[in-house]
Amino acid sequence: MLTSIANEKCGPKLAAVVDANVFFDLVDGADSDSTGLNLGWLRDEVDLQICPEMFNEISRDVDKSRREQRRIFAKKFGEVSASNDDVQRVRALLVSAIPTRETVRDRSDILHLAQAVAGGAKAFVTRDDHLFNYADEVYEKTLVSVVRPADIVTRIDALLREQFYQRDRLAGTSLTAARENVIDEDLLASLFQADKQGERKNAFLTRLRKLRADPQNAGYLVVHDPDRNPIGILGYQRSAVGNTAVTTLRAKAGPLAISLMRYLVISLLIEVENTSASMTITDPYAASDVAEQLAGFGFVKTASGLAKLLVSGTLTLADVLDSLKSRLGTHAEVDDLISGSIRLITGFDIENKTEPLLTLERALWPLEIRDLEVPAYIIPIKPMYAQHLFDVGIAKADLFGANIDLALNQESVYYRSPKNSRGLASPARLLWYVSTNARIPGSGHIRAHSKLDEVDIGTAKTIFRKFRRLGIFGYKEVLEIAAKDSTAQVMAMRFSCSRMLERPIPWIEIKSMLHQHDVKSILISPTRIPTDLYFKLRGL
């Protein structure tokens, strides 16, 4: 049915009739997905109309002033017209397709739809669940699509902004994610409604419909497993005051649930870092375990859920302070975070506060403080390992993609020999140089950056046991690093906050910049670089 809307939209405006409940939503300003029909860009694409039966519906209202208000509002709509014979012919078809009770309301609903069909409408917009249950039968007999307000908004938006609805491999894995233009509401409710916690199906669907009805200020992603079964959903709303609120965050119960929800939140955080001053998670049914997982990224508990202050880019400490001061009083949920951050910056001698400022930088991630002296290194890594640990681009180019457990994890480990480590220690900033492999496009470049959280050295067996859940190496590969001696030393680098560079840097440019900074290296082992060079490479 919705495909027919796409076909109709290849020409002039789509003729769509709104039923009484949607009309009353619009005139009363009701908090529902009907409000999406008021969007200016949608009115440019859809001709919203009413039927003569609407005036009978208005007349039944016992409130005189409200009746008058609604009659005035009705004049803003075009009115479909059809002969009585045509209306009665269509009505007979509908009565045979839609079981109804002989009530005034049911008779009015059928007459309303009959007038729309006879009058040449291509879509009938309703929130009536009973009528929507027979949408297929109506379309089969009349070729008119019965749709919800959110459905028609989403479908038209998908035609205008097709790129936003394309399915993508999540984190370069075999999982896929998309803002879908057509959804199975019953299926999503059966999987993600928090019924055990008292959430009603209609409340869950209402939240989802509101997101779909405002596609330019809100969004949602449905995640599917390799068999195309939904396993997670994220919905968010952007406010005029610069906050992004995650209103829906759910995942199918299982070992991936928490990692998946965390990954979706962090990915959204990176997406909105330059357009939002804060992020809140307001879904009351999001798993409490997610709060613990997100605490390390600066999310704190507030009255409405979880909140995080967003400061983007690479800034000096003075710039960070100015940015924080300018935001005081703009968003109550993060005022305490702002005040605490300001006190931290101003309350220490600059030479003695590296550790607390590193904590602040972590809380404000993805911010990086330029004048915070932290060692920086370029780390060489083979493409086959990079794709599972952080490199989404290489993973997407691979037929099988990245390991799901590792790719969704925000924390990873990379093993290497302790030899020629050039003083590598945590904390540090890392740039990842993916070594050249002629068969792998994108190799031979610096492709990502991370924070180094821990360096541990021990026997192959000890180190593998400690970090096995975070690393792509199996014990056999770790043993290879130790020259097949289980008692030999192996270095584990635990890192997090990985991000791909906007533009990977090829070896020829790296070589030139290393030479300019008097750094001699061919990047076959960790190479320490000046802090200013790190930020130059990171920002290219």
Side-chain angles (χ1 to χ4, degrees), residues 247-318:
T247 61
T248 306
L249 181 62
R250 312 289 172 87
K252 183 180 178 181
L256 284 180
I258 300 302
S259 295
L260 176 59
M261 288 189 285
R262 179 183 58 194
Y263 182 87
L264 291 173
V265 170
I266 297 303
S267 297
L268 177 62
L269 188 154
I270 293 172
E271 180 182 329
V272 304
E273 66 171 308
N274 294 315
T275 57
S276 294
S278 62
M279 177 182 283
T280 55
I281 300 176
T282 59
D283 185 348
Y285 303 105
S288 58
D289 290 344
V290 176
E292 299 176 12
Q293 296 287 331
L294 292 174
F297 293 90
F299 283 88
V300 298
K301 291 184 178 181
T302 66
S304 63
L306 298 175
K308 175 178 170 58
L309 179 63
L310 277 174
V311 182
S312 65
T314 60
L315 305 176
T316 65
L317 202 55

Side-chain angles (χ1 to χ4, degrees), residues 62-91:
V62 297
D63 188 312
K64 182 178 179 180
S65 63
R66 192 164 58 201
R67 284 201 309 270
E68 186 60 26
Q69 178 190 14
R70 290 176 172 179
R71 286 195 183 104
I72 293 172
F73 189 76
K75 294 178 181 179
K76 297 181 179 181
F77 294 79
E79 183 178 340
V80 299
S81 63
S83 69
N84 185 59
D85 288 345
D86 286 343
V87 171
Q88 293 306 319
R89 176 181 56 79
V90 175
R91 182 181 179 279

